[in-house]
Amino acid sequence: MWPFRRRAATRVERLELDPAQGDPEATRLIAAAKRGDWQAAAETLRDVEHPDVRYFYCRTLGEHAGDGAWIDEWISADPRTATPLTVKGLYAIDRAWQARGNGRAVTVSEDAFKVFFQRLKVAEDCLDDATGLDGDDATPWVGLVTLGRARQVGLDETRRRFDEAVRRYPWHRDAHSHMLQALCRKWSGSHELMHDFAEEAAAGAPAGAPLGVLVADAHIEHWLDLPEGEDGEYMRSPEVGERLRLAADRSVRHNRYERRPGWAAADNAFAMAFTLNGDRPAAAERFDVLGDRVTRWPWSYLATPDVAFTRARQTTRQ
């Protein structure tokens, strides 16, 4: 599964995972969350209009909210606004996954599952309320897509939530990413459903839109699901390489592509996918764009994310 195992003893440079991905506003939001300054958070989010950026910022706040008490203060102070409820919903999702862990279901204890589903219910209630307060914001609907998978409500209901999100913004980066996860075989879908969704979304998006990354995501998920030996053969196939190059050409390699806050996730996915495909020049190009901006996903599928990232980067430059 990991083509660089033989280099496991090689010393690699350690990198810090920056949840803000180098974005100054996200860095300020994380600082505000850590000190419980909801006024500063509200002021920053008030002027954020792009749906992809708004979701990235709200999720970042939720993931660094500590015990979350300050979010309740924000809700009490501003009960007619959807934003604090949205942040609390995303915070509760993050806390739920912390309780569950990222392993397969068989590795999760009964008590952990109980806490997991309790926190997911809190998230659902908050996000439902947020959709009622702001009918135009896609952000709570994206959270509800995530919950559709986590709460196992079925593909039809998850798809309905996705449709609500993209009705508000058709090219929403994270709405599509979470819907793709729901279509993975490890959840409630299949390889065919996952690949069809990725290819159709990428082909239907405007040139330069970020949705080409769905093709890389889908091939990574397919690779992960295969036995060792078959996984490498699959990822190194010419067909996978061609699909990756076409998707990159329409997204991260297109001259209209805009690197908005949260952009590094897509380039990390392409960097790993091209590395596994054996296309060193294409992978090296993505590493050059990224610098040291490593993201947890998808490198955590291989090893400690920064270690997997730096080993792959070294390999592409040999």
Side-chain angles (χ1 to χ4, degrees), residues 16 36 48 59 69 75 97 108 118 125 131 138 166 181-182 184 188 191 209 217 227 261 269 274 277 292 304-305:
E16 181 179 351
V48 178
R59 188 192 69 197
I75 293 170
W97 283 103
V108 184
Q118 286 173 342
D125 290 345
T131 64
V166 297
Q181 284 295 316
C184 290
S188 48
H191 293 324
D217 292 349
F274 279 129
N277 180 248
D292 289 338
T304 303

Side-chain angles (χ1 to χ4, degrees), residues 117-131:
F117 285 111
Q118 286 173 342
R119 292 176 179 175
L120 292 179
K121 179 61 167 62
V122 171
E124 182 114 11
D125 290 345
C126 289
L127 294 170
D128 274 338
D129 288 346
T131 64

Side-chain angles (χ1 to χ4, degrees), residues 1-3 220 223 232 235-236 271-278 302:
M1 183 179 292
W2 174 226
I220 288 170
W223 161 83
M235 279 303 288
R236 289 190 295 271
M272 178 167 146
F274 279 129
T275 299
L276 294 173
N277 180 248
L302 293 170

Side-chain angles (χ1 to χ4, degrees), residues 255-279:
N255 58 14
R256 295 182 187 172
Y257 184 68
E258 295 183 42
R259 289 188 166 78
R260 299 187 178 95
W263 64 268
D267 280 294
N268 272 270
F270 272 115
M272 178 167 146
F274 279 129
T275 299
L276 294 173
N277 180 248
D279 189 340

Side-chain angles (χ1 to χ4, degrees), residues 38-187:
W38 65 262
Q39 293 94 337
E43 184 64 28
T44 296
L45 290 175
R46 190 170 292 119
D47 297 326
V48 178
E49 296 183 356
H50 195 283
D52 284 342
V53 180
R54 185 169 182 80
Y55 176 81
F56 176 65
Y57 285 168
C58 287
R59 188 192 69 197
T60 299
L61 270 175
E63 290 176 352
H64 296 86
D67 64 6
W70 62 272
I71 307 177
D72 291 326
E73 294 176 12
W74 186 4
I75 293 170
S76 297
D78 206 358
R80 296 180 181 274
T81 302
T83 301
L85 283 166
T86 299
V87 172
K88 183 170 181 178
L90 298 177
Y91 161 75
I93 291 173
D94 182 65
R95 292 274 291 166
W97 283 103
Q98 287 181 31
R100 182 197 182 281
N102 293 317
R104 298 277 183 174
V106 295
T107 68
V108 184
S109 71
E110 183 177 342
D111 287 345
F113 262 128
K114 183 177 180 180
V115 176
F116 177 64
F117 285 111
Q118 286 173 342
R119 292 176 179 175
L120 292 179
K121 179 61 167 62
V122 171
E124 182 114 11
D125 290 345
C126 289
L127 294 170
D128 274 338
D129 288 346
T131 64
L133 289 170
D134 188 343
D136 296 326
D137 189 2
T139 307
W141 285 108
V142 178
L144 288 167
V145 175
T146 308
L147 289 169
R149 167 169 54 97
R151 300 193 77 200
Q152 303 171 17
V153 301
L155 281 179
D156 287 345
E157 171 60 16
T158 304
R159 171 71 75 164
R160 183 191 72 82
R161 298 172 183 207
F162 169 77
D163 289 344
E164 290 287 351
V166 297
R167 184 165 66 83
R168 288 157 176 81
Y169 181 55
W171 324 120
H172 201 293
R173 180 178 61 199
D174 288 282
H176 282 82
S177 293
H178 289 301
M179 189 67 218
L180 183 139
Q181 284 295 316
L183 293 169
C184 290
R185 192 169 77 166
K186 65 186 179 184
W187 286 99

